[in-house]
Amino acid sequence: MTAHPLDRLTAGEIRHNRSILVHAGLVGPDTRFPLVQLREPPKSEVLAFTGTAPPDRQVLSVLLDTVTGACVETVVSLSQDKLVSKRDVDPAAEGQPPIMIEEYALTDEIVKADPGWRAAMARRGITDLDLACPCPLSAGSFDLPGERGRRLLRVLTFVKHRPEDHPWAHPVDGLVAYVDLIERRVIELLDHRLAPVPAEEGNFDDESVVGPPRATLRPIEITQPEGPSHTVDGDVIEWANWRLRIGFDVREGLVLHQLSFRDGERERPVLYRASIAEMVVPYADPSPIRFWQNYFDAGEYCLGKMANSLVLGCDCLGEITYFDAVMADDHGEPLTIPNAVCVHEEDQGVLWKHSDLFTGSAETRRARRLVLSYFATVGNYDYGFYWYLYLDGSITFECKSTGVLFTSSYEDGRYATEVAPGLGAPYHQHLFCARLDLTVDGVTNAVDEVEITPVEAGPGNPYGNAFTTTATRLRTEAEAARLAAPGTGRSWHISNPAVVNRLGRPVAYALTPQGRPALLAAETSSIARRAAFATKHLWVTRYDSAERYPAGDYVNQSPGHGGLPAWVARDRDIDGADIVVWHTFGLTHVPRVEDWPVMPADSCGFTLKPVGFFDRNPALDLPRPAGHHCDPAGS
């Protein structure tokens, strides 16, 4: 069978990529592969693909020399068995490649071998260093002397009372090590204060601490005796008029390609590509030890590499289809995460219902949704990424944040919550950026900002009860950098001016934001420069296949100004064009005592809902719920 241009990379293709680079003389004993990705063809090529001829399968790799720090970006054609391009990356100007898994263990070795760090731990009475847990953390970019161009991590330390004790309950605060991964040494050690190490344990998996399990919950069984309603053919999934292609990227994690909805005899495109292209976690503690805490979990850590193997009954319930995630490890060899993606159906209660006063009609239809999800663990936090497709043509994304709070010694109540005696949890945000390459009935789209506005009392509104809607067309990229406004119900309608519904109005989908705070750091801060995408809830850019990441290609230690700010500065026309919508959303987390020692999931997300896309309710054809009680003739 002919490969599709967007098929996920296979283990064989990953080996082939490495082989080509070896033969090109680009791989030595000290070469590592921080990033290996399918190089997706431009949209026009994919939409024109008919399957009559095989596509040119290309792979983008980032190679790092772990002795010199030299970085090379390559593109290989697997189809032509050759190196297509190679360029040197300047880490000082562009940023560093993502952090690699093997660098976690390397950091532990470097820190524990440093005499200054060992002496600082001894001053705190910590001498069993096997119980110490140096935590490798992305360094950011702060124009600190001697740091530019170096591959760095900053290291805060936690300690365990015994091997099975969770270290997050015992931060060794007031101490931070700056580690150069190429020179393999601590280049700076800041020993700011001798803070007490909180003693109370936080072992949420220890029954002697949490007590016996509740005995009041009886089993819930979710079954589909006739099997699931969705079908799978390779990477293509079909379910209840929806059709899509699933992808998985080492940086973005789960990717949805070419979502369309079958409307009668028409297969109508809605989304060409949807992903969470970046997320940033900025912390609010301004202390000399922690001011730098800002983490880009996609661009610095690679969300896809952090994916969990999901377990039936724990992560997913029901009739499940799993997809493995295949990616390259730090040596460019294939790595498989079994059951990384879960696909299943969920009952969603009532979709529509009416009991009519005049006719006696009583009809109910139940809702379902198709769930496509994966979980990634990034250090202390666990993130569940959920895409939901609904029977009425709606699409929702939800991120569930759980895991363990990143902790400190509790000192200043202005920037942290005391969650256990002497244990602080600093305030922070989780800000995500969805890249939504919409194709609402085609590639010619436009965006209107729609708000609900009250009408002043007067001759046309004598009783003062009127309100209306206003729509403002966003015509250029600069105009489309917008904030949410919950007070006016602000939403953004993505329409196709060239296609109208039966009422003569352009077909559209509405992006409805939750309207929570955008980035709260000062405009002059390093993180506002590096995560400028998070300062607005909406950006709209003209499509460019090279514009994939809102904070730029090389986020790790990047000086900033890349990505969306640079693209939008061109102020291209977006009115009736091939456009990409970027939506920032997230949580501002002021931790609660109830978030310790493990955090109940908190969620955030957005909705895409058809507005005039269909000519009527597209779920009218749903059958009545099965069962005697739901049959009007069965009472």
Side-chain angles (χ1 to χ4, degrees), residues 271-597:
L271 261 170
Y272 175 74
R273 190 181 193 277
S275 70
I276 303 304
E278 191 54 86
M279 62 171 290
V280 63
V281 187
Y283 278 73
D285 187 339
S287 71
I289 296 299
R290 292 172 174 266
F291 69 90
W292 47 267
Q293 281 192 271
N294 303 289
Y295 312 125
F296 292 80
D297 287 353
E300 291 177 340
Y301 290 95
C302 287
L303 282 169
K305 277 190 180 179
M306 305 298 169
N308 296 180
S309 289
L310 303 177
V311 178
L312 181 63
C314 298
D315 302 294
C316 310
L317 290 176
E319 193 76 26
I320 309 298
T321 299
Y322 290 108
F323 291 81
D324 296 345
V326 180
M327 62 197 73
D329 66 13
D330 293 344
H331 293 265
E333 298 286 358
L335 167 71
T336 298
I337 301 175
N339 295 356
V341 175
C342 168
V343 178
H344 69 287
E345 284 180 88
E346 290 180 346
D347 181 270
Q348 273 298 107
V350 172
L351 175 59
W352 61 262
K353 178 181 177 69
H354 182 59
S355 299
D356 195 80
L357 171 66
F358 297 106
T359 67
S361 167
E363 296 285 348
T364 302
R365 300 294 185 272
R366 292 194 66 80
R368 291 189 196 182
R369 64 186 183 189
L370 187 70
V371 185
L372 304 100
S373 65
Y374 84 105
F375 251 93
T377 300
V378 188
N380 56 301
Y381 263 107
D382 299 76
Y383 298 99
F385 297 88
Y386 294 80
W387 291 95
Y388 303 121
L389 306 182
Y390 293 87
L391 298 170
D392 66 351
S394 298
I395 304 167
T396 295
F397 175 81
E398 179 185 29
C399 181
K400 297 180 181 180
S401 301
T402 179
V404 180
L405 298 167
F406 198 97
T407 56
S408 65
S409 174
Y410 183 71
E411 181 183 30
D412 191 336
R414 292 178 296 172
Y415 308 114
T417 301
E418 187 175 25
V419 293
L423 183 67
Y427 304 161
H428 57 281
Q429 294 183 281
H430 302 262
L431 299 172
F432 305 81
C433 185
R435 183 183 184 274
L436 304 170
D437 187 347
L438 285 127
T439 48
V440 179
D441 255 345
V443 297
T444 303
N445 287 176
V447 181
D448 291 291
E449 184 170 275
V450 177
E451 298 183 279
I452 302 167
T453 56
V455 177
E456 290 187 9
N461 182 27
Y463 299 101
N465 63 301
F467 58 88
T468 188
T469 60
T470 59
T472 304
R473 176 63 51 90
L474 305 177
R475 300 188 182 279
T476 70
E477 291 175 320
E479 287 182 13
R482 306 293 294 164
L483 289 169
T488 64
R490 180 176 291 173
S491 62
W492 296 290
H493 290 199
I494 300 93
S495 65
N496 189 328
V499 180
V500 296
N501 58 26
R502 70 189 180 107
L503 302 177
R505 298 182 179 88
V507 296
Y509 262 73
L511 170 60
T512 303
Q514 291 180 334
R516 294 173 176 175
L519 184 70
L520 294 172
E523 291 182 12
T524 56
S525 66
S526 166
I527 192 59
R529 183 176 71 245
R530 298 179 64 229
F533 73 86
T535 63
K536 303 290 183 182
H537 292 108
L538 181 80
W539 307 78
V540 183
T541 58
R542 199 174 181 103
Y543 171 79
D544 184 327
S545 61
E547 295 177 359
R548 284 274 296 274
Y549 307 111
D553 290 345
Y554 291 88
V555 178
N556 188 18
Q557 294 178 242
S558 71
H561 303 300
L564 279 168
W567 307 333
V568 168
R570 287 179 264 173
D571 203 19
R572 294 164 291 190
D573 176 40
I574 56 170
D575 188 5
D578 188 356
I579 59 175
V580 177
V581 172
W582 309 75
H583 176 44
T584 302
F585 61 97
L587 300 168
T588 297
H589 193 182
V590 176
R592 308 169 300 143
V593 174
E594 292 86 351
D595 290 333
W596 182 257

Side-chain angles (χ1 to χ4, degrees), residues 35-49:
L35 199 65
V36 176
Q37 298 172 287
L38 173 68
R39 189 170 187 259
E40 297 177 15
K43 185 193 299 183
S44 58
E45 292 183 21
V46 175
L47 295 180
F49 178 73

